[in-house]
Every structure is written in structure tokens, then in C-alpha cells.
Amino acid sequence: MDRPDIPLNALRVFEVAVRQGSFTRAAVELRVTQAAVSHQIARLEDLLGTALLLRTPGGLVPTDEGRMLFPVLEQGFDAMARALDRIAGRHHIEVLKVGVVTTFALGWLMPRLPAFTRAHPRIDLRISTNNNRVEILREGLDMAIRFGSGLWTGIAAEPLVEAPLAPLCAPGLAARLKSPADLARAPLLRSHRSDEWPRWFAAAGHPCPPLTGPVFDSSIALADLAAESAGVALLPVPMFARQIAAGTLVQPFAVELPAGRYYLTYPADRALTPEMTCFAAWLKAEALNGE
């Protein structure tokens, strides 16, 4: 096969620019000026005779040609890095970068990670937490664990753990709740998903009382407030199993609202590395054992 006479440095700059989502951040990673990054991209586009990146208010967006080229370059540069590490005589450690929604990280993943590390000491797992808003390519991640329906454009999603919602509160407050109707006399802590309490009350067969008070965007914060007797929070029960077992949180009613599932996700056009495959298999086995 004839190989095109394309400068490797321009290809490297393009790969970093797509991953970082901006010329500025690409310049920081590459330790060059923004103008140098822009020049290399323009040179590559001129050599290929097509646009590869579009500038938008939200950052750089690859064209169809750019999306086709990026995963090939990413995999190639990763393979070269692994080979160079081995040639240089470095201990064979593979880095795996995973973004994880904070509730899942603290409530499910972290207690299990020591077992993964013992079983796979050659995988350097690096976790970054988020509030369920993640851009895998732009943040330089390999994979991400997120909550939702499993339908994300251009993203492969492997189901892990269901997360039905139920009211959780401190033991003292739970003792005063004999039926869902009693919740009308308790402070109901609100998340940014405003439909959750009305949907739970509908499932329980009771009208939803007026909802007032501050809105929180973190299930962890809601759980902490509930444990401190500040009110009743509607939370994904499996993510707070340890607090329920310890008695700091109580589930006063059996009614649970199906709300979605946590998924392991990665770009659909990305070929899985052995480390990604290993982590995915381990996660799915742990999720299956936990059911």
C-alpha cells in the first residue's frame, strides 16, 4: 500500500486538537503557540484538500472527514507510545482514563476498585468525576460511566446498574412516615430534575404536594442533607446501599421509580484496547454479581 507523504507532526497536532476541543488547549498540551497549532491544521487540510475542523461557539467540531481520520490517528499514536515505552525498557503499565458520574463513583465503583487493582496491577486506572456531563474525546478520556437512557449520538453504551429512585431520609424522620401521604408534612429535598417527585407520587398513588425550597444538582449533597435530618431526598437506592446498611439513611416506603441506568460508554467508532476490554468485562461481572 502506498503511504501518503503527510508530515507526522501535523497529524499529531490534529489528533490533539480534536481531543482537546480547542486550539488553545491543544497548544498547552503540545507546548507550542496557538498560532503554531492553527498553522499545522491549515497545512494538513491543504495537503488533504478538505476541511477537517470547524470552529463553533462550543469549540472545535470535526467534519465528516475529520471524524473518520481521528480514531485511526488516536489508535495509531497510542500503539506507538506503547511500543516506545517497551523499547525504552519501561515497566509495562497501561493508562486507562475513565470519567465517572460522582454518585456512581462514590456509591458503587470506589468500594470495588481495590479488587480491580489487585487483579490487574498493570492497568493504571485514572478516574475523573463529573456531574453526568462529559465529553469523552474533548476531555482526553478512554471511556465514561454515565446515567441515562443509553441513547447518545455516536456513543456505544453497555448497561451496568439500574438505579430506581426512592425516598431516603434519617431514621428519626422515617419513624414518623407511616404512608406516602405523610410526606406532605415533611421537607422534600429537590433535585434539578423537577419531574421526579411528581412521578414518584404518581407511582405511589398519592398527589404530589407543593414543592418548595432550594434545588440541588448533586445526589451526594441531597443524601448528606437527608442523613442530617434536613428532609427527605429522592435518590438512586443502589448508590446508597452502604448508608442504608449502616442505618444513616432509611427507605421508609417500598415504592421505587424506574429512572434509568448507569452505562459504560465510549465512542462507537473507537476500537477497544485490551485495557478497555478488560475494564468493561470486570465492570459487567461486578454489576451482574451485585444483582
Side-chain angles (χ1 to χ4, degrees), residues 59-80:
L60 297 176
V61 175
T63 63
D64 289 343
E65 291 79 8
R67 282 193 292 271
M68 179 175 64
L69 181 60
F70 174 76
V72 177
L73 293 178
E74 182 186 39
Q75 294 157 27
F77 283 121
D78 286 346
M80 283 190 285

Side-chain angles (χ1 to χ4, degrees), residues 39-257:
H39 173 74
Q40 289 289 347
I41 296 298
R43 182 186 182 195
L44 181 59
E45 291 178 327
D46 183 59
L47 288 169
L48 294 176
T50 186
L52 297 173
L53 292 171
L54 301 175
R55 294 193 187 206
T56 74
L60 297 176
V61 175
T63 63
D64 289 343
E65 291 79 8
R67 282 193 292 271
M68 179 175 64
L69 181 60
F70 174 76
V72 177
L73 293 178
E74 182 186 39
Q75 294 157 27
F77 283 121
D78 286 346
M80 283 190 285
R82 288 192 291 269
L84 291 170
D85 280 350
R86 296 188 186 101
I87 292 171
R90 299 175 189 171
H91 187 57
H92 181 44
I93 297 292
E94 298 288 354
V95 174
L96 182 63
K97 293 173 284 187
V98 183
V100 185
V101 61
T102 304
T103 304
F104 187 90
L106 297 180
W108 193 93
L109 183 60
M110 299 307 290
R112 293 169 167 82
L113 280 184
F116 177 81
T117 301
R118 289 192 299 270
H120 306 284
R122 294 185 182 277
I123 298 179
D124 181 8
L125 185 62
R126 300 184 183 180
I127 302 293
S128 61
T129 58
N130 58 69
N131 200 25
N132 211 38
R133 297 177 180 87
V134 61
E135 293 287 344
I136 294 176
L137 295 179
R138 188 166 297 173
E139 296 175 30
L141 302 172
D142 297 300
M143 313 176 93
I145 297 172
R146 66 184 84 185
F147 179 80
S149 64
L151 301 175
W152 293 281
T153 302
I155 295 294
E158 301 189 25
L160 294 175
V161 179
E162 290 187 359
L165 301 176
L168 298 179
C169 61
L173 179 53
R176 301 196 298 271
L177 301 175
K178 305 305 181 183
S179 77
D182 294 333
L183 288 170
R185 297 189 295 275
L188 300 182
L189 303 174
R190 297 192 295 162
S191 81
H192 63 284
R193 293 179 289 271
S194 60
D195 66 328
E196 290 179 344
W197 272 118
R199 290 172 56 213
W200 184 87
F201 274 101
H206 289 269
C208 181
L211 300 173
T212 59
V215 173
F216 298 88
D217 67 352
S218 165
S219 293
I220 302 298
L222 288 169
D224 288 344
L225 288 168
E228 294 295 327
S229 300
V232 183
L234 197 57
L235 296 168
V237 177
M239 298 301 107
F240 297 95
R242 286 183 298 160
Q243 292 89 328
I244 293 171
T248 57
L249 287 174
V250 175
Q251 181 179 346
F253 308 112
V255 177
E256 294 184 349
L257 176 68

